């Protein structure tokens, strides 16, 4: 019988004496064999041994300790059967309460070593460790043998053991079980914080697969406290986990493969854990929101995904989106600030990565991040909606980010496509036309991505078509052109659109009728047999060009039936279009344009279209050659309820009738109807030349008042006739390729046109002026190719071949052909500008441009071309610059060509400055230069440097008397200095020159003049240059405040090591204080200047007030540092305080005294005027009143800012023990007191004025009439 059987036999008999005797006889080796035996009752045997040995206080204690330790080692090895393991652990958990303190301490040592070696992966094992710590904490006194032997209370001993455990090295395999163990231990806040920080530090060392369990345990521990620490630690590690994986992948290919396939699902699991924890504990969610709000620069793909997942919790949804929107716009504004300020960009490096993070979230949403899909889509729409009407660069970038998110979600997530389309269509329908353009561009991009078999998407498109007639005409037009590729590919969608448009033809709304007419014209484009239709309809909707070019025409005959059915559909469309000719003038204009394009694209329909247009023309044409005028204008007007309307757009009809005649091919025979059109139009031209103003029942004596019925009718008639003359001018010029006789007729037509416009100008109703717009909605009836040809004739050299111009394009059809005209005009105008073509002076009759020279008009035209191409055709600017041939084709670099063009206009400016007369031309040239500079890339450092040197030379050596030109030079110098140099040194030099030119506030002070900038003269220094300097000072203070905020975030950033944070902080501090000192010196010079009180006092005082506010912000920052025990008063900061206190503040008080003295002088002058003119009661002039009111607001604000600054300095002085207030001296200028003598004088003057009034007659009192106040004359 073995020892285990003997032991169990005695245990069964219940003989404790025999059990004790047996326990004393066996040695440790036998005990080892008994415990390790595979006996079915090994658990009972172990419990029996422990119970028996615990009874022997003398000889059994050592064996008892041996058995306990050996059992714990067996538990850690995980070699026991589960049933035995559970039984042993359960018994030991009870037995630990009876163990001696020394044994408990020994067990703690065993557990600590096991944690280091990594054998404590069994949760049961660590459960015993937790129990041991709990029992130790309940002891009153514990004798600790390690280190300095001492007796300590149980809780202190437990804290000591925990400190020892956390200070040691943990095996990565033990981290997750340890986290579970610590949740069962009662700990104070200090111990808990120590444990949590240890576990967060262990995150990088554990197996990547164990991240979700460890995060889960940490989130459970957050119930005990330190939620912010846990959230920040998890986010910080998950943000950098990709970097850690990348480092490990350099060593192991297995890790690299793992990271690509499983890392994102693991992150998704962690996001789920955090989201679920926040649902259970809303305080945890609040801490996350605080972290997100206080760390805007720490945004990452993981943080963004976690934020979006939390938006599914309704309580936090709006708050999270608001914070994200705020952080995103801040990121773009910070990027814009860094780009615009060189010294700030050199000091701080903040990469703009928000777009990359957003795209990463979208891509990862298909790899286990499903919970963020809805949030990222909503974020895209929120970013677009929130910044839709704002024009700043940062706002436009946020809109672009929102657009990118929406389009990417549409590509990646099939399930969200229908919802995205619905959201966009709802916004297009419900928003105003002014802000819907961006959504239309998104809609166009999405149409390019639509699969024609996506049934759900097409149901949403039908919804858009249902509402299309309720939209504005411009919006509906763009939507129809965007849907055109789908109309070509899907006959069901096309037929549905036709049915909607047919109904709209009979609508009572004019807009709906116009949309119906245009829509039917567009739908004709969906047929393959109309081969040339694509280019011409694009004129009606330029934004839709890009999204339509990627689609090719498809053969739809197999889908919609035979050619017969197609002809029937086209005939139905044409029949409805013909019906529209009985509607309003705007509807007819749309139909006339459409008919022309139909005839051009489908020659078989040309005869049909010409018959309709000729029929309409005969309604207004008087065939008798002896009648003047040849057109019946009265039939084009209709009066209803004393209001006159245009019912027949005669200019549009004649214009497109002639273009229909001009469609003929070179070798094509002209049919009789076309010959008749030519004869009729020639007759109209010749007879309209003979017409006098009186023939139209209009002359200068006619009524043109908009307040009378006849006057309003005459105005409309006059505009209509003027537009007809404009159309006839083009017909006369183009019918024989600009022949000499035709040009003479065109001049005579223009003379008649000028007479009409002169009448309208004298009446204040010029149709092309700023006050009134054309009722017909046409700015000009002359086509772009005709204007282009006129420019070539007037400014070009050599003969003009009109047939060559037709190759460029004679129908104004799309952006490409518009660009060709811009190229032609730009090339000719530029040659005229640089002097390659010379022309005699051209007389100008128009009052708007009569006072402008020809060269000035050329410059303005070229500037408009440059702005137009940059705004609408930016992708073709390189071609435009190449056409100018500035560098003779030596380079194709856009920056080089742009700067070469800038140098041309620099020469114009130099020439104007040398002559001293052509300041207007120089101003226009500088405007063009500013526009070109905005489109130089960031890499054009040499070009910016050259232009800066040119500006600097002008400002230093050139005296300019034109204030607008001075403003251009100085403003551009400051802008480029801010982008490429250190602007503060330039501002300081300019401030010194302002002081020299204006003089000192103290008259007895002599100023040594250096004349650093010749452009700053006594005439230009104030207000022109001073206002610009003050504006740049405020901008510099904004940048400094931003840098202080960045320092605050750096100090309180929990993700940066303290040593690294201190290093970066010191570097930024070395930049901050010198810059702020220079600003203080600039303000010192400004405050010393004798500024004219009526011009720029306000901007100067606001600048210095802003300086003291920035100083308060900086002092608060230092107070916060001392509160965190990290404060230090550096020598640079002390020097800054010294400059502000001993140099700036005294000059501010001197300036206030100067302003007060000047105001008293002005008031005395007004009093003298009042005494001379007693009848005109004038206490103070209106300008003086305005100055007093402004000073009453800004001067107290300045004094308060100084007081506030000094108050915060006193607080900082108390905390730092550094005497900072020694540089300040209290002045009497800030004391406001009432002078009794002055007040009494004012009261006496008022009494004298009252006595001088006429007395009330006694009869008035008798009659009981109320006393009337005498009205004073001003």
């Amino acid at each position: 019988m073995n020892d285990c059987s003997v032991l169990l036999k005695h245990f069964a008999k219940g003989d404790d004496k025999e059990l004790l005797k047996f326990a004393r006889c066996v040695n440790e080796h036998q005990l080892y064999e008994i415990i390790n035996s595979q006996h079915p009752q090994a658990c009972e045997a172990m419990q029996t041994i422990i119970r028996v040995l615990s009874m022997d206080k003398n000889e059994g204690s050592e064996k008892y300790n041996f058995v306990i330790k050996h059992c714990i080692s067996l538990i850690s090895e995980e070699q026991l059967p589960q049933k035995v393991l559970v039984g042993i652990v359960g018994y030991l958990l009870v037995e630990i309460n009876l163990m001696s303190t020394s044994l408990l301490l020994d067990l703690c040592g065993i557990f600590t070593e096991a944690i280091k070696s990594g054998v404590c992966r069994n949760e049961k094992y660590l459960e015993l460790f937790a129990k041991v710590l709990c029992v130790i904490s309940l002891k009153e006194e514990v004798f600790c043998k390690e280190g300095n032997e001492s007796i300590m209370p149980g809780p202190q001993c437990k804290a000591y053991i925990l400190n020892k455990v956390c200070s040691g090295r943990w095996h990565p395999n033990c981290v997750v079980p340890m986290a579970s163990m610590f949740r069962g231990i009662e700990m104070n806040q200090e111990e808990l914080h120590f444990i949590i920080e240890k576990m967060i530090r262990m995150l990088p060392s554990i197996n990547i697969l164990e991240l979700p369990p460890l995060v889960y345990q940490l989130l459970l521990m957050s119930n005990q406290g330190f939620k912010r620490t846990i959230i920040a630690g998890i986010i910080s590690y998950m943000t950098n986990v990709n970097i850690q994986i990348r480092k490990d992948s350099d060593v192991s290919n297995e890790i690299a493969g793992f990271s690509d396939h499983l890392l994102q699902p693991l992150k998704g699991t962690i996001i789920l854990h955090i989201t679920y924890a926040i649902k259970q504990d809303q305080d945890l969610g609040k801490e996350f929101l605080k972290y997100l709000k206080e760390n805007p620069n720490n945004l990452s793909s993981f943080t963004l995904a976690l934020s979006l997942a939390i938006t599914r919790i309704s309580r936090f949804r709006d708050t999270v989106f608001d914070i994200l929107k705020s952080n995103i716009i801040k990121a773009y504004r910070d990027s814009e600030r860094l780009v615009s300020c060189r010294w700030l960009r050199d000091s701080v490096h903040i990469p703009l990565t928000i777009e990359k993070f957003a795209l990463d979230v979208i891509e990862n949403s298909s790899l286990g991040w499903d919970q963020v899909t809805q949030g990222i889509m909503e974020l895209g729409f929120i970013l677009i909606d929130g910044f839709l009407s704002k024009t700043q660069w940062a706002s436009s970038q946020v809109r672009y980010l929102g657009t990118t998110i929406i389009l990417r979600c549409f590509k990646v997530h099939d399930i969200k496509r229908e919802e995205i389309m619905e959201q966009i269509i709802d916004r297009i329908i419900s928003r105003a036309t002014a802000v819907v353009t961006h959504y239309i561009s998104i809609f166009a991009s999405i149409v390019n991505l639509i699969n024609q078999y996506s049934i759900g998407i097409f149901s949403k498109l039908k919804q858009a078509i249902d509402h299309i007639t309720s939209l504005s005409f411009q919006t509906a037009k763009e939507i129809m052109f965007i849907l055109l590729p789908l109309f070509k590919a899907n006959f069901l969608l096309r037929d549905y659109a036709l049915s909607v448009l047919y109904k709209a033809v009979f609508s009572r709304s004019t807009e709906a009728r116009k949309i119906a007419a245009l829509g039917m014209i567009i739908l004709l484009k969906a047929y393959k047999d109309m081969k040339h239709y694509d280019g011409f309809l694009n004129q009606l909707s330029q934004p839709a060009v890009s999204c339509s070019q990627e689609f090719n025409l498809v053969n739809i005959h197999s889908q919609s039936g035979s050619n017969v059915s197609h002809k029937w559909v086209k005939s139905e469309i044409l029949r409805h279009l013909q019906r529209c000719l009985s509607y309003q003038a705007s509807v007819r204009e749309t139909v006339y344009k459409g008919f022309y394009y139909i005839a051009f694209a489908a020659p078989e329909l040309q005869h049909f279209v010409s018959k309709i247009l000729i029929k309409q023309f005969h309604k207004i044409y008087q065939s008798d050659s002896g009648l003047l005028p040849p057109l019946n204008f009265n039939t084009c007007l209709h009066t209803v309820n004393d209001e006159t309307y245009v019912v027949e757009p005669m200019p549009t009809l004649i214009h497109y009738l002639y273009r229909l005649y001009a469609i003929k091919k070179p070798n094509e025979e002209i049919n009789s109807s076309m010959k008749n059109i030519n004869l009729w139009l020639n007759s109209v031209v010749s007879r309209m030349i003979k017409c006098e103003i009186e023939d139209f029942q209009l002359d200068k004596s006619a009524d043109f008042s908009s307040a009378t019925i006849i006057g309003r009718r005459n105005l409309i008639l006059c505009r209509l006739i003027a537009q007809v003359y404009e159309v006839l001018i083009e017909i006369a010029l183009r019918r024989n390729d600009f022949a000499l006789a035709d040009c003479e007729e065109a001049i005579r037509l223009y003379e008649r046109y000028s007479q009409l416009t002169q009448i309208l100008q004298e009446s204040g109703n010029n149709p092309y002026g700023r006050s009134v717009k054309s009722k017909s909605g046409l700015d000009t009836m002359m086509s772009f190719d005709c204007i282009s040809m006129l420019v070539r004739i007037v400014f070009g050299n050599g003969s003009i071949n009109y047939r060559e111009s037709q190759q460029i394009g004679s129908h104004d059809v799309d952006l490409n052909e518009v660009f060709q005209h811009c190229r032609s005009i730009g090339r000719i105008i530029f040659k005229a500008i640089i002097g390659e073509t010379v022309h005699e002076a051209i007389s100008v009759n128009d009052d708007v441009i009569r006072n402008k020279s020809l060269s000035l008009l050329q410059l303005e035209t070229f500037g408009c071309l440059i702005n137009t191409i940059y705004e609408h055709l930016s992708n073709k600017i390189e071609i435009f610059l190449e056409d100018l041939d500035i560098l003779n084709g030596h380079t194709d670099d856009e920056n080089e060509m742009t700067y070469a063009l800038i140098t041309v206009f620099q020469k114009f400016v130099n020439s104007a400055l040398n002559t001293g007369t052509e300041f207007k031309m120089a101003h226009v040239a500088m405007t063009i230069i500013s526009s070109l500079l905005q489109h130089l890339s960031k890499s054009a450092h040499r070009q910016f440097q050259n232009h800066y040197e040119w500006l600097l030379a002008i400002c230093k050596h050139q005296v300019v008397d034109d204030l607008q030109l001075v403003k251009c030079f100085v403003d551009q110098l400051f802008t480029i200095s801010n982008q490429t140099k250190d602007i503060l040194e330039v501002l300081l030099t300019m401030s010194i020159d302002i002081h020299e030119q204006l003089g000192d506030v103290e008259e007895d002070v002599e100023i040594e003049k250096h004349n650093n900038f010749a452009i700053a003269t006594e005439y230009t220094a104030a207000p022109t240059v001073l206002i610009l300097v003050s504006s740049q000072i405020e901008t510099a203070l904004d940048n400094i405040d931003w840098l202080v905020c960045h320092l605050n975030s750096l100090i309180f950033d929990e993700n940066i090591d303290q040593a690294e944070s201190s290093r970066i902080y010191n570097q930024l501090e070395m930049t901050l204080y010198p810059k702020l000192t220079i600003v203080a010196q600039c303000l010192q010079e400004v405050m010393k200047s004798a500024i004219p009180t009526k011009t720029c006092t306000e901007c100067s005082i606001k600048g210095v007030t802003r300086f003291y506010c920035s100083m308060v912000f900086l002092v608060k920052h230092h107070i916060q540092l001392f509160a965190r025990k990290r404060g230090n008063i550096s020598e640079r900061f002390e020097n800054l305080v010294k400059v502000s206190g001993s140099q700036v503040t005294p000059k501010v008080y001197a300036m206030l005294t100067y302003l007060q003295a000047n105001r008293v002088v002005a008031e005395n002058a007004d009093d003298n005027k009042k005494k001379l003119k007693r009848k005109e009661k004038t206490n103070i002039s209106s300008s003086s009143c305005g100055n007093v009111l402004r000073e009453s607001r800004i001067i107290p604000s300045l004094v308060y800012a100084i007081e506030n600054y000094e108050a915060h300095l006193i607080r900082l002085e108390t905390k730092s023990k550094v005497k900072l207030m020694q540089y300040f001296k209290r002045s009497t200028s800030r004391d406001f007191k009432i002078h009794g003598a002055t007040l009494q004088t004012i009261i006496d003057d008022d009494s004298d004025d009252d006595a001088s009034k006429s007395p009330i007659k006694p009869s008035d009192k008798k009659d009981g009439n109320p006393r009337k106040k005498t009205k004073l004359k001003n």
Side-chain angles (χ1 to χ4, degrees), residues 763-924:
S763 303
N765 291 282
N766 181 10
Y768 302 106
R770 295 183 179 179
S771 59
V772 177
K773 295 183 179 179
S774 176
K775 292 290 185 182
S776 63
L778 297 174
D779 293 332
T780 179
M781 294 302 298
M782 191 170 291
S783 60
F784 201 175
D785 61 306
C786 183
I787 295 173
S788 176
M789 282 303 305
L790 285 173
V791 171
R792 293 177 64 185
I793 291 173
V794 174
F795 297 106
N797 283 329
S799 61
I800 300 299
N801 187 349
Y802 180 65
R803 293 299 177 188
E804 293 180 0
S805 71
Q806 286 185 322
Q807 296 176 1
I808 295 177
S810 59
H811 304 286
D812 302 330
V813 291
D814 59 15
L815 285 175
N816 289 326
E817 296 184 2
V818 168
F819 175 66
Q820 296 301 326
H821 293 304
C822 290
R823 289 175 64 184
S824 175
I825 296 174
R827 183 169 56 250
I828 294 168
I829 293 293
F830 183 72
K831 288 182 180 180
I833 288 174
I834 62 178
E836 291 187 11
T837 56
V838 181
H839 299 273
E840 297 178 359
I842 300 177
S843 62
V844 180
N845 295 326
D846 195 338
D847 287 341
V848 178
I849 57 177
R850 183 175 293 155
N851 297 325
K852 297 182 180 180
S853 66
L854 184 60
S855 299
L856 182 58
L857 290 173
Q858 291 170 349
L859 278 176
E860 291 179 344
T861 303
F862 191 79
C864 291
L865 281 174
I866 287 289
N867 292 332
T868 301
I869 293 175
Y870 272 124
E871 183 176 356
H872 301 287
L873 299 159
S874 57
N875 58 329
K876 297 182 181 295
I877 186 62
E878 188 174 346
I879 301 174
F880 180 81
L881 294 175
E882 288 176 355
D883 279 351
L884 300 180
D885 199 21
I886 308 171
L887 299 176
N888 299 321
H890 290 226
T891 181
D892 58 353
D893 182 68
E894 186 176 335
N895 287 332
E896 290 289 345
M897 291 187 291
T898 303
Y899 187 71
L901 186 58
I902 290 175
T903 56
V904 172
F905 294 105
Q906 287 177 353
K907 294 176 182 178
F908 268 91
V909 175
N910 292 334
S911 176
L913 293 178
N914 292 333
T915 58
T917 55
E918 298 292 340
F919 287 145
K920 288 185 177 180
M921 289 185 60
H923 186 267
V924 175

Side-chain angles (χ1 to χ4, degrees), residues 1034-1202:
E1034 290 192 20
T1035 302
L1037 289 172
D1038 286 338
N1039 293 332
I1040 288 172
D1041 287 349
W1042 181 88
L1043 186 57
V1044 174
C1045 288
H1046 184 69
L1047 290 176
N1048 280 333
S1049 63
L1050 192 66
I1051 290 298
F1052 302 119
D1053 194 345
E1054 302 169 357
N1055 300 323
I1056 302 178
D1057 181 73
Q1058 185 171 353
E1060 179 68 13
S1061 174
S1062 299
R1063 184 186 65 81
I1064 300 175
Y1065 181 87
N1066 291 333
Q1067 291 179 354
L1068 295 178
E1069 198 178 43
M1070 292 175 63
T1071 302
L1072 173 64
Y1073 296 137
K1075 302 300 179 186
L1076 199 49
T1077 302
I1078 295 176
V1079 172
Q1081 293 170 352
C1082 293
L1083 291 172
Q1084 176 191 354
E1085 295 295 331
V1086 172
M1087 290 296 102
K1088 291 192 297 184
S1089 304
I1091 302 172
T1093 55
K1094 294 184 179 181
T1095 54
C1096 42
T1097 305
E1098 185 176 0
C1099 69
S1100 304
I1101 294 180
K1102 282 185 177 180
V1104 74
T1105 304
R1106 183 73 177 77
F1107 167 74
Y1108 283 110
C1109 292
S1110 297
M1111 291 299 296
V1112 170
F1113 190 43
L1114 182 60
V1115 172
K1116 287 181 178 179
H1117 168 70
H1118 280 277
I1119 293 174
Q1120 288 180 344
L1121 290 179
F1122 277 98
R1124 294 176 64 94
K1125 299 181 180 179
R1126 299 181 62 177
N1128 180 32
I1129 300 299
S1130 64
E1131 183 179 352
R1132 292 182 293 270
F1133 177 74
E1134 191 172 353
N1135 181 60
L1136 173 62
V1137 174
K1138 180 180 179 180
V1139 171
S1140 65
S1142 60
Q1143 298 181 23
V1144 179
T1145 304
K1147 301 304 177 184
V1148 170
Y1149 292 137
M1151 170 60 73
L1152 295 180
T1153 304
Y1154 166 79
L1155 294 177
Q1156 185 179 8
N1158 282 356
R1159 189 176 68 183
V1160 171
V1161 172
E1163 290 177 356
N1164 291 335
D1166 290 331
D1167 289 340
N1168 293 332
K1169 293 180 181 179
K1170 181 186 66 175
K1171 292 178 180 179
L1172 293 175
K1173 299 180 180 180
R1174 285 285 184 179
K1175 295 182 180 180
E1176 296 182 0
K1177 279 287 186 178
T1178 306
N1179 295 328
I1180 302 177
S1181 64
S1182 59
S1183 60
S1184 299
C1185 285
N1187 292 333
V1188 170
L1189 289 175
R1190 285 193 295 271
E1191 290 178 9
S1192 65
R1193 292 192 299 265
I1194 60 178
I1195 293 179
S1197 299
L1198 172 60
V1199 175
Y1200 171 76
I1202 298 174

Side-chain angles (χ1 to χ4, degrees), residues 1137 1140-1142 1145 1205-1206 1209 1220-1226:
V1137 174
S1140 65
S1142 60
T1145 304
Y1205 171 48
E1206 294 180 3
L1209 270 182
L1220 299 174
M1221 291 301 296
Q1222 61 179 329
Y1223 308 110
F1224 290 82
K1225 180 180 179 181
R1226 189 165 296 276

Side-chain angles (χ1 to χ4, degrees), residues 351-631:
L352 185 61
T353 55
I354 181 61
E355 183 177 353
K356 177 181 178 300
F357 292 153
L359 294 179
D360 288 344
V361 169
I362 298 173
E363 295 297 331
N364 295 332
S365 60
S366 59
L367 299 174
W369 294 15
D370 299 337
Q371 62 272 22
V372 307
T373 304
Q374 183 67 25
I376 190 68
M377 186 191 71
E378 291 182 11
L379 177 64
F381 283 110
I382 288 173
L383 294 180
I384 298 174
D385 293 339
F387 301 94
L388 202 57
S389 59
K390 299 179 181 179
T391 59
Q392 297 89 349
W393 178 86
S395 300
S396 63
Q397 292 301 308
V398 173
R399 286 198 305 271
Y400 174 77
L401 175 62
T403 304
T404 305
I405 290 173
I406 295 301
L407 295 178
R408 195 64 184 170
C409 286
F410 190 89
K411 290 180 181 179
V412 174
H413 298 289
D414 296 345
I415 196 173
K416 292 296 179 183
R417 290 179 180 175
E418 187 173 349
E419 183 179 354
I420 290 173
M421 181 63 76
E422 182 178 5
Q423 293 275 1
I424 293 173
I425 292 174
D426 288 345
R427 282 165 169 79
I428 291 175
I429 294 172
S430 60
R431 298 298 176 90
T433 307
V435 297
V436 81
T437 307
H438 194 74
Y439 283 113
I440 292 177
S441 64
I442 300 175
F443 181 74
S445 301
I446 287 180
V447 167
N448 286 334
L449 303 174
I450 288 180
N451 185 339
Q452 59 176 323
Y453 301 106
S454 300
I455 305 300
I457 299 298
F458 275 87
S459 66
K460 298 301 176 184
L461 292 178
K462 287 184 177 181
Q463 178 185 349
I465 294 173
D466 286 334
H467 293 86
I468 198 165
T469 56
S470 62
L471 302 175
S472 67
F473 178 73
Q474 183 65 27
T475 303
K477 180 172 62 176
E478 295 183 5
I479 293 296
M480 288 298 295
F481 273 94
I482 290 169
L483 293 176
L484 180 58
L486 299 183
F487 292 149
K488 295 177 181 180
N490 191 297
F491 71 96
L492 294 176
L493 191 65
R494 184 185 64 243
D495 293 344
Y496 185 80
L498 272 175
S499 65
V500 173
L501 295 175
Y502 287 163
K503 295 177 184 178
V505 171
F506 301 94
S507 173
R508 300 180 64 180
S509 170
T510 303
E511 284 288 299
R513 292 175 176 179
K514 288 174 60 179
I515 293 169
L518 177 64
M520 288 185 289
I521 295 169
I522 292 173
L523 285 174
L524 285 174
K525 189 180 180 182
Y527 291 87
K528 183 181 180 182
D529 54 346
M530 306 180 74
K531 298 179 181 178
H532 303 288
Y533 204 24
D534 293 346
F536 293 95
L537 280 175
N538 286 338
Q539 179 198 9
L540 299 177
S541 181
Q542 300 296 351
V545 172
S546 60
C547 62
S548 300
Q549 289 173 345
E550 298 183 7
F551 289 85
N552 297 319
L553 290 171
V554 297
N555 190 349
I556 63 173
H557 293 284
S558 60
Q559 299 178 13
S560 59
S562 64
N563 292 334
V564 176
S565 65
H566 284 175
K567 292 179 180 179
W568 182 85
V569 172
K570 287 189 288 185
S571 64
E572 280 294 305
I573 293 176
L574 292 172
R575 185 174 63 83
H576 282 82
L577 287 175
Q578 188 174 1
R579 181 184 180 85
C580 292
L581 293 178
S582 61
Y583 292 153
Q584 294 88 344
S586 58
V587 181
R588 297 187 187 191
E589 285 183 1
T590 304
V591 176
Y592 290 151
K593 294 178 184 179
F595 273 151
Y596 164 71
Y597 296 128
I598 290 170
F600 186 88
E604 68 275 10
L605 298 176
Q606 184 172 340
H607 179 68
F608 174 78
V609 170
S610 62
K611 286 177 61 177
I612 296 176
L613 294 183
I614 289 172
K615 181 180 178 181
Q616 293 296 116
F617 178 73
H618 276 300
K619 293 180 180 179
I620 61 173
Y621 177 67
Q622 302 189 75
S623 58
D624 188 352
S625 60
L627 291 178
L628 293 179
L631 302 173

Side-chain angles (χ1 to χ4, degrees), residues 314-333:
S314 58
R315 178 174 181 178
F316 299 110
R317 179 185 180 278
D318 294 339
T319 307
V320 171
F321 278 131
D322 289 342
I323 295 175
L324 286 178
K325 187 170 69 172
S326 175
N327 290 352
I328 290 172
I329 187 62
K330 180 182 181 301
Y332 281 107
R333 285 174 178 167

